[in-house]
Amino acid sequence: MNPNALSTKIIKKGMDFAYGSWANTQRMLGRIDYPVPSFSSMHKTSSKTVKHYYESGIRTAVPILTAARANGLDLKQAKVLDFGCGVGRQLAHMTRHLPENEYYACDIDDLSVSFIQKHYEQVSAYVSSFRPPLAYEDAFFDMIYSVSIFSHLHLDDIEPWLQELARITKPGGLLMLTTEGPTALGPLSEAFGVSEAELLDELQAKGTLYKEYDYLEECLQKQGTLKSASFMIGIEGSYGNTVLSPEHIHREWESDILEVVSVIEGIIDFRQDLVVLRRK
């Protein structure tokens, strides 16, 4: 093993142990009453503190549930799938406040799925593949939501996943998918290497932007030695920053089986758009 990789692994393991010990103490003292993932796993959700992990879960779950309710979904005894569940930022709140629903979850990261299986017994979770199909029967779910997955998929992978999610959604059921749009261009300007204004001009002209992560190949090569810290577990193709204009979504995502109900800009954690689709 490369000495630098070994050093990083030891540091990550130490941080996970220290953070886990702190979280367990807080739970015993009654200051935290929800499952807390390891530091490495939590960091994959862009959260560096328990506070942000918890609060960002609220800021993403509430808009999804509100929009679902506004579009006629009865949020009692519904079958709900968290597609790309990570370590359950949204599930932590949904399972607590809407326990009557039947919850399912899937992710390509087996460490994240193990966390869900251990701490959320009411959620049926499994490790899915990077590309379709999923292990669910046709017309199974009343609602599928996905946070910050379509904001990273290569443009060629979006359509197959839309078709697959539509397949497993009941007629009349809802897909609640978050995407990066105009609101996200400021934070993304550094990653793309151009100004926010230039990105907006390009997005308006093309309807889509995509830039593969510069560090993708390196991360994929290090999965074996730095798995707990890797952001790329289960990735089997191009992956990066994906931006879609609302106009592109209305034009390209509408199909014979999916209706684009609305694109609510910037409502997800003050950054991402929420795309509401209905299965025809």
Side-chain angles (χ1 to χ4, degrees), residues 22-226:
W22 175 86
N24 288 334
T25 300
Q26 299 304 304
R27 287 175 63 84
M28 287 188 293
L29 293 173
R31 296 172 181 169
I32 293 177
D33 62 352
Y34 52 89
V36 177
S38 69
F39 178 84
S40 294
S41 293
M42 187 171 60
H43 190 64
K44 296 175 189 178
T45 68
S46 301
S47 296
K48 296 182 180 179
T49 67
V50 171
K51 181 176 184 289
H52 183 271
Y53 167 79
Y54 183 83
E55 292 180 350
S56 66
I58 295 174
R59 291 193 299 267
T60 52
V62 169
I64 290 170
L65 294 172
T66 301
R69 181 61 176 165
N71 283 280
L73 181 66
D74 183 4
L75 291 168
K76 293 181 179 178
Q77 299 181 337
K79 288 184 177 179
V80 178
L81 172 65
D82 185 331
F83 174 65
C85 61
V87 285
R89 280 191 301 164
Q90 295 77 39
L91 285 170
H93 303 285
M94 292 190 183
T95 56
R96 171 175 291 186
H97 298 292
L98 296 167
E100 301 91 349
N101 292 327
E102 191 174 323
Y103 291 98
Y104 297 79
C106 63
D107 200 288
I108 60 176
D109 186 332
D110 60 322
L111 297 180
S112 294
V113 171
S114 294
F115 175 80
I116 298 298
Q117 291 172 333
K118 180 178 180 180
H119 295 284
Y120 292 92
E121 295 182 358
Q122 70 274 52
V123 178
S124 176
Y126 92 103
V127 181
S128 53
S129 298
F130 183 69
R131 293 190 173 91
L134 295 172
Y136 304 111
E137 62 188 68
D138 294 354
F140 188 72
F141 293 105
D142 298 289
M143 180 177 80
I144 298 173
Y145 69 88
S146 181
V147 176
S148 201
I149 300 299
F150 285 82
S151 54
H152 299 290
L153 293 177
H154 187 275
L155 298 170
D156 291 342
D157 289 321
I158 289 177
E159 178 61 25
W161 274 119
L162 288 175
Q163 293 291 322
E164 177 64 4
L165 296 182
R167 177 188 70 80
I168 60 177
T169 303
K170 296 177 181 178
L174 297 175
L175 298 180
M176 317 293 284
L177 312 177
T178 76
T179 59
E180 300 269 50
T183 307
L185 294 181
L188 286 173
S189 61
E190 182 178 354
F192 279 86
V194 297
S195 70
E196 180 179 356
E198 290 174 298
L199 281 180
L200 181 59
D201 288 343
E202 186 176 355
L203 182 63
Q204 291 174 337
K206 297 181 178 179
T208 66
L209 303 171
Y210 179 76
K211 187 176 187 300
E212 184 176 275
Y213 287 133
D214 295 332
Y215 50 83
L216 175 64
E217 189 62 33
E218 181 183 0
C219 285
L220 294 178
Q221 292 175 355
K222 291 182 177 180
Q223 283 189 74
T225 56
L226 297 171

